Amino acid sequence: MKLLVLIIAALVLLAIGALAVFVFVIQNVETPDYVTVERDGAFEIRDYPSLVVAEAIGSGSRREALSAGFGMLARYIFARERGGGKIAMTAPVIQQRSESIAMTAPVTQSRAPDGEWVVRFILPAEYGLGQLPAPVNPDVRLKEMSAQRRAAVRFSGSTKDAALAEREAALRDWMVARGLDAAGPAVYAYYNDPFTPGFLRRNEVLIDIAVQVTEAKTPPD
């Protein structure tokens, strides 16, 4: 009986320790600033400023592509394939289907036939595009994404394909009810590593809204 109590106590201490580490890491990892335009439960409309990102293309299933793209980007920011210092890790890691977009009005999209996915790291705000070391891997590229208004839904738990599809469908229905037109494919945002318990995870689905946005202002402290 005493052994069982000791085991339970040890498990509780481990859980508390894991939660403390989780809170510390989340509070100390940079995330992009945005201005909340509207909030409706788990749904939001946000204005994002321009963001500098590193991106790579992964092929195959969503999870396979995420793993491949993450590996290439991690080798870039941790200076494993180039000279210079490391770049701080940020959150979230974002992923969306690779699209060929016709430059017309209105904007139209067509899904790439080869099942490619774009995986992106949002780089720390202190860096401008010209301040970053050039990638050695030709499959990694740096770019600046313009300011954009996005619809978002936040959730915890699973990021399996079915869960993401369900949240994306709910977000699209919410947008339709408000007369908001999508301006691109859904973006999946992952804020935590795979070892974080599901109930502690922060996941999001975001969809660009077809509206002109000037540079978003940094929200007040």
Side-chain angles (χ1 to χ4, degrees):
M1 189 65 171
K2 289 183 179 180
L3 179 60
L4 179 59
V5 171
L6 288 173
I7 291 174
I8 293 173
L11 291 174
V12 170
L13 288 173
L14 284 173
I16 293 172
L19 180 59
V21 170
F22 167 79
V23 171
F24 175 81
V25 169
I26 289 301
Q27 289 181 340
N28 288 275
V29 172
E30 182 179 331
T31 58
D33 290 324
Y34 58 81
V35 175
T36 301
V37 177
E38 179 183 344
R39 181 178 290 117
D40 177 21
F43 300 97
E44 291 184 348
I45 296 175
R46 304 170 179 171
D47 280 350
Y48 282 87
S50 58
L51 299 171
V52 176
V53 300
E55 67 176 26
I57 304 293
S59 300
S61 70
R62 181 185 59 81
R63 286 186 176 276
E64 290 169 341
L66 178 61
S67 177
F70 186 96
M72 288 186 279
L73 296 174
R75 289 191 291 274
Y76 168 73
I77 68 166
F78 295 133
R80 294 174 185 164
E81 294 180 341
R82 60 168 175 81
K86 298 179 181 180
I87 299 171
M89 186 71 185
T90 64
V93 177
I94 57 177
Q95 177 186 28
Q96 69 184 99
R97 283 197 179 273
S98 178
E99 300 283 329
S100 56
I101 302 177
M103 298 303 293
T104 60
V107 177
T108 60
Q109 303 88 31
S110 60
R111 179 168 296 180
D114 50 6
E116 292 183 334
W117 294 82
V118 182
V119 181
R120 295 188 177 103
F121 283 2
I122 300 170
L123 299 177
E126 65 184 276
Y127 294 102
L129 193 58
Q131 299 173 296
L132 292 160
V136 174
N137 186 340
D139 294 325
V140 174
R141 69 172 187 168
L142 307 176
K143 65 181 290 186
E144 184 171 358
M145 300 175 65
S146 59
Q148 181 65 49
R149 178 164 293 182
R150 297 184 171 96
V153 59
R154 178 172 173 170
F155 63 101
S156 58
S158 171
T159 54
K160 292 182 179 179
D161 291 343
L164 290 171
E166 179 182 354
R167 301 293 179 170
E168 180 182 341
L171 180 59
R172 291 189 183 278
D173 288 344
W174 185 82
M175 291 175 64
V176 168
R178 281 157 181 74
L180 303 173
D181 295 324
V187 175
Y188 304 138
Y190 316 105
Y191 284 78
N192 309 105
D193 62 65
F195 305 105
T196 301
F199 71 96
L200 291 176
R201 292 183 186 179
R202 176 181 175 181
N203 312 308
E204 293 177 344
V205 178
L206 304 100
I207 298 176
D208 288 356
I209 298 172
V211 63
Q212 184 69 32
V213 176
T214 57
E215 189 72 12
K217 296 180 180 179
T218 302
D221 295 330

